[in-house]
Amino acid sequence: MKSLVLATAVLAIAPAAIAQTAPAQDHSNHAAQAAPAATARPTITSPIKDLLNHPQTVEIMEKHLPGVSGHPMRPQFEDMTLVEVMPLSGGVITQALIDAIDADLKALPAQ
């Protein structure tokens, strides 16, 4: 009977003792680390959908490729970069065009 009482006492004390000896963990920064940079502006190496879904860069894309945001083939190419689409574009997207888009993207004011 003594061992049953002793075992019950140990089980009752153990969680409190473990909690006191366990190192405190700071979780305050986890949300900040996991949160994506929602305001990061896409670059020339970003997928086309990112360039078309950002308010500043869609204007540049439309300037150089009028109608691209509403293009009927958009689902087929929006996950690709401009460099990846270039050989499939039938000469519409050239390195000169990509360079011009890149220059306009780099000219945008810092966020």
Side-chain angles (χ1 to χ4, degrees):
M1 186 70 170
K2 282 186 186 180
S3 58
L4 182 58
V5 173
L6 183 60
T8 306
V10 168
L11 288 176
I13 296 171
I18 291 170
Q20 289 176 357
T21 59
Q25 295 181 1
D26 180 13
H27 296 284
S28 62
N29 199 21
H30 287 205
Q33 291 173 353
T39 60
R41 187 171 41 222
T43 67
I44 198 68
T45 59
S46 299
I48 292 169
K49 70 178 170 189
D50 292 349
L51 290 163
L52 295 175
N53 289 331
H54 192 279
Q56 290 178 310
T57 60
V58 68
E59 292 177 21
I60 293 170
M61 291 292 287
E62 285 293 336
K63 171 185 166 186
H64 293 282
L65 294 165
V68 69
S69 60
H71 195 284
M73 298 292 289
R74 181 176 170 179
Q76 282 76 33
F77 64 76
E78 69 179 2
D79 288 324
M80 302 169 75
T81 66
L82 287 168
V83 169
E84 292 170 334
V85 172
M86 185 171 49
L88 308 172
S89 72
V92 173
I93 298 176
T94 63
Q95 188 60 51
L97 179 72
I98 292 171
D99 293 343
I101 293 170
D102 189 33
D104 284 355
L105 293 172
K106 289 177 178 173
L108 287 172
Q111 292 183 0

